[in-house]
Every structure is written in C-alpha cells, then in structure tokens.
Amino acid sequence: MDATLEVVKRDGRSELFDRQKVLDGMQKACEKRPVSHAQIEEAVDEILSSIEAGLEREVPSHVIGAKVMDKLHEIDPVAYVRYVSVYRQFENVNEFIAEIQSLSRRAAR
C-alpha cells in the first residue's frame, strides 16, 4: 500500500511515501549502537502498519516523524536523541540537555 500513501511535507508539498527514507533515517540514528538491522526493519514495518491502519491516503510528515521517535525511544535512547536532534533541528547544546533531561525523567517513572 505504501505506493499510494502520500506524505504531506512541512512546506505543504506532497510526495509518495518512501519506506527507504524512514529506514535510512532510523539506520543513521542507530549507527554504531547495539541495534540490529532486523530490529530497525521490524520497527519500520510497525510504523507503516500503524499508518496504514489509519486508512488515510495523506499523512503529514510530522506524524511519521513522531512514530519514528516513539519507536527509537523504545529501541535505544541514544538513537532517539540523535534522531530528535536532527528532526527538531537542535541549534545548541542546551536543546540536547533539555531533551536528555526529559528522557531521564520519563525513564525514572
């Protein structure tokens, strides 16, 4: 079904969903982390399944990004912070610190 799924970008453009883009982004975040390719593949499959379950033909890119962040948070906290820093376009170390502190508070619950 991913061939008919459209992603609405932040600037309003639409493009076909590209599973490989999601996979590449997650692999980059997990680089040199103890995360197998199979774990990443499974996470991408789960993300796609959850999007398809919504039965929408157009999905905002931020929805996909949030699902990727959720999966990375489950898989590896360092990969999560890496992804979030690029996705949210962190500009200074204070943004990293705030995200890590938020992550620590969630883990402590």
Side-chain angles (χ1 to χ4, degrees):
M1 170 163 54
D2 58 327
T4 61
L5 184 64
E6 293 275 329
V7 177
V8 181
K9 307 298 269 182
R10 290 179 186 175
D11 65 5
R13 291 179 300 114
S14 288
E15 63 182 47
L16 288 177
F17 177 84
D18 185 349
R19 182 183 189 282
Q20 190 62 45
K21 277 187 175 182
V22 176
L23 185 64
D24 290 347
M26 291 185 75
Q27 285 177 321
K28 186 83 167 158
C30 294
E31 202 168 88
K32 297 183 182 179
R33 297 295 306 152
V35 179
S36 71
H37 183 73
Q39 284 177 288
I40 298 169
E41 287 276 354
E42 182 179 329
V44 172
D45 289 345
E46 290 172 6
I47 290 166
L48 183 54
S49 291
S50 72
I51 292 168
E52 290 173 341
L55 302 177
E56 298 295 324
R57 294 289 177 223
E58 289 189 342
V59 178
S61 60
H62 70 86
V63 170
I64 296 168
K67 290 181 181 297
V68 170
M69 286 186 282
D70 289 345
K71 283 293 173 193
L72 286 172
H73 185 265
E74 292 173 20
I75 294 170
D76 185 90
V78 172
Y80 164 80
V81 172
R82 286 178 178 170
Y83 185 86
V84 169
S85 71
V86 173
Y87 185 78
R88 293 189 184 152
Q89 301 173 343
F90 287 0
E91 294 184 13
N92 61 56
V93 74
N94 292 332
E95 291 175 280
F96 276 96
I97 292 168
E99 188 62 39
I100 291 168
Q101 287 172 337
S102 172
L103 187 61
S104 294
R105 283 191 298 274
R106 281 183 275 172
R109 290 183 198 159

